[in-house]
Amino acid sequence: ATGLRMRKRKGDKGIARVTATSILTGESVPVDLLASRQEVSECRVFAAACFVTDAAGWFAVAHSVRRQAWGPPGGWREGTESPRRNAVREIREEIGLEVAEEALIPLGYERWPTIAPEGARRASRDLLQLFRVELADVQPALGSALTDTDDRRWVGWSGLTTLCGNEFWWPVAAELLAPWAAARTLAACAAAGPRRSRHRPGCPPPPPAPNAG
């Protein structure tokens, strides 16, 4: 279904209604994916995730041991932490990078059905807040001291598509991050020049040399 019939605030945009597997029950449930530049009400947020990009347009992804899938850093809120602090902690724990809470940019949210009146996701907490953050440097080293993830890497847009294109949340990335990634890649290729850009994934080939004589 399209987002036109979704419940949403003024200014929010429905992207897609998809089917996902509930972490709590293992059942297939409908999940609404929405774009928004506004953060959702904190009292409704049960988790947060953040797309991390570097200054050249690469994406940092981690491989979840529990889900056996690649994706942006993210996870459950702990205690009374805010969604922003939740996202910053997950970035630190899953890929080993430190970012400031104020650097996070709201991207949208996932709305899950309220099927668990008890536990971490109570009936009043049905939203996963999505952020993005852009780093000032290029491909800083990634790491983690925890066992929640067993691999992490920097990938370009094509690599992100290969690793994550079948995930239920992918319509959010395709809708909101693809145009940004394309613009970033072109800018980076132009800055690198024709010789260096030929080695950069996503850069167009250099123009042919003019014929002599």
Side-chain angles (χ1 to χ4, degrees), residues 70-86:
W70 289 90
W76 300 91
R77 285 176 66 186
E78 294 183 354
T80 59
E81 68 182 358
S82 68
R84 283 179 176 266
R85 184 166 296 180
N86 175 188

Side-chain angles (χ1 to χ4, degrees), residues 32-44:
D32 291 343
L33 306 177
L34 300 98
S36 179
R37 296 181 180 179
Q38 312 171 64
E39 291 181 58
V40 295
S41 174
E42 182 174 321
C43 66
R44 293 183 60 183

Side-chain angles (χ1 to χ4, degrees), residues 15 33 51 59 72 107 130 157 160-161 164 169-181:
I15 295 177
L33 306 177
F51 292 92
F59 293 83
L107 193 67
L130 295 169
W157 180 254
L160 188 69
T161 303
C164 307
W169 49 262
W170 181 251
V172 172
E175 174 88 9
L176 303 177
L177 298 178
W180 176 89

Side-chain angles (χ1 to χ4, degrees), residues 61 69-71 153 155 158-167 169-170:
V61 292
W70 289 90
R153 63 184 66 169
V155 295
S158 61
L160 188 69
T161 303
T162 299
L163 293 178
C164 307
N166 292 325
E167 297 299 316
W169 49 262
W170 181 251

Side-chain angles (χ1 to χ4, degrees), residues 13-94:
K13 178 185 177 182
I15 295 177
R17 176 165 291 145
V18 298
T19 299
T21 301
S22 169
I23 299 173
L24 298 172
T25 66
E27 300 174 345
S28 294
V29 294
V31 177
D32 291 343
L33 306 177
L34 300 98
S36 179
R37 296 181 180 179
Q38 312 171 64
E39 291 181 58
V40 295
S41 174
E42 182 174 321
C43 66
R44 293 183 60 183
V45 176
F46 67 89
C50 185
F51 292 92
V52 180
T53 59
D54 72 358
W58 297 90
F59 293 83
V61 292
H63 186 261
S64 168
V65 173
R66 178 179 53 77
R67 293 188 296 105
Q68 286 298 296
W70 289 90
W76 300 91
R77 285 176 66 186
E78 294 183 354
T80 59
E81 68 182 358
S82 68
R84 283 179 176 266
R85 184 166 296 180
N86 175 188
V88 166
R89 175 179 54 76
E90 293 292 343
I91 293 170
R92 180 177 62 254
E93 292 180 351
E94 295 192 355

Side-chain angles (χ1 to χ4, degrees), residues 39 82 84-85 88 99-106 131-133:
E39 291 181 58
S82 68
R84 283 179 176 266
R85 184 166 296 180
V88 166
V99 301
E101 291 181 33
E102 57 270 22
L104 303 183
I105 302 170
F131 296 101
R132 75 175 181 88
V133 65

